[in-house]
């Protein structure tokens, strides 16, 4: 089965809760899952599938724990042609920057040559107070894309 790195960008913990829940589901489905809450590009396994779970902070910004990872990617501009990824974005639709951080990291990874597995999931925390629920529904469809 597949190996996945669940890379979180979280301010209030929502993305981390989603990562914890999805890691359990992945392992129940025979996959290996590692949760990374302070990602450093140089230490990431580029053979693993990257599942980015990122909330939007402030005016469309990345959470503080995610900024170093984004800075590394932006400054180094690495060739990510061998990287496969998916994005789960958390945000509040009451703001015009709804899920902006998730959209930005998706665009950055694509611009560096990474291949996206499936559509980005945008979770509206103003309508879904338990973000693990829509993440699980998304996962049940998405898991077919990672089956070996």
């Amino acid at each position: 089965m597949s190996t996945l790195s669940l890379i979180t960008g979280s301010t209030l913990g929502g993305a981390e809760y989603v990562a914890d829940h999805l890691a359990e589901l992945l392992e129940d489905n025979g996959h290996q899952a590692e949760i990374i809450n302070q990602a450093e590009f140089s230490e990431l396994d580029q053979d693993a599938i990257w599942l980015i779970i990122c909330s939007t902070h402030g005016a469309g910004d990345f959470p503080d724990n995610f900024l170093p990872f984004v800075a590394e990617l932006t400054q180094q501009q690495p060739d990510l042609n061998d990287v496969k990824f998916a994005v789960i974005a958390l945000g509040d639709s009451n703001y015009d920057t709804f899920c902006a951080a998730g959209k930005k990291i998706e665009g950055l990874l694509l611009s560096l040559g990474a291949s996206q597995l499936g559509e980005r999931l945008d979770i509206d925390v103003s309508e879904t107070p338990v973000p693990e629920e829509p993440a699980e529904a998304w996962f049940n469809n998405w898991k077919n894309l990672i089956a070996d």
Side-chain angles (χ1 to χ4, degrees):
M1 288 293 188
S2 298
T3 300
L4 290 95
S5 296
L6 286 74
I7 303 167
T8 66
S10 189
T11 300
L12 301 176
E16 292 172 13
Y17 297 139
V18 170
D20 290 341
H21 185 64
L22 292 179
E24 287 180 27
L25 294 174
L26 285 161
E27 290 169 357
D28 290 347
N29 281 271
H31 301 286
Q32 293 181 334
E34 176 187 15
I35 298 172
I36 304 168
N37 294 321
Q38 295 281 339
E40 292 183 37
F41 171 69
S42 59
E43 295 181 10
L44 289 177
D45 180 357
Q46 293 191 32
D47 293 325
I49 296 169
W50 295 359
L51 180 50
I52 309 289
I53 306 164
C54 187
S55 63
T56 297
H57 176 69
D61 301 321
F62 293 110
D64 288 344
N65 75 314
F66 202 71
L67 287 171
F69 174 61
V70 173
E72 277 185 294
L73 292 176
T74 302
Q75 292 165 3
Q76 295 177 19
Q77 295 288 301
D79 177 356
L80 298 182
N81 285 323
D82 294 332
V83 173
K84 294 181 175 126
F85 77 97
V87 175
I88 296 177
L90 286 78
D92 184 334
S93 64
N94 291 310
Y95 297 93
D96 61 357
T97 57
F98 175 62
C99 290
K103 295 171 186 174
K104 288 178 190 175
I105 191 62
E106 176 186 60
L108 178 59
L109 292 172
L110 288 170
S111 75
L112 296 172
S115 300
Q116 189 166 0
L117 298 175
E119 298 284 321
R120 181 187 69 246
L121 171 64
D122 293 342
I123 299 175
D124 186 352
V125 296
S126 69
E127 293 182 9
T128 311
V130 181
E132 294 92 326
E133 292 172 358
E136 182 172 340
W138 174 88
F139 170 80
N140 288 330
N141 293 318
W142 182 78
K143 68 183 176 185
N144 297 326
L145 298 174
I146 60 170
D148 285 338

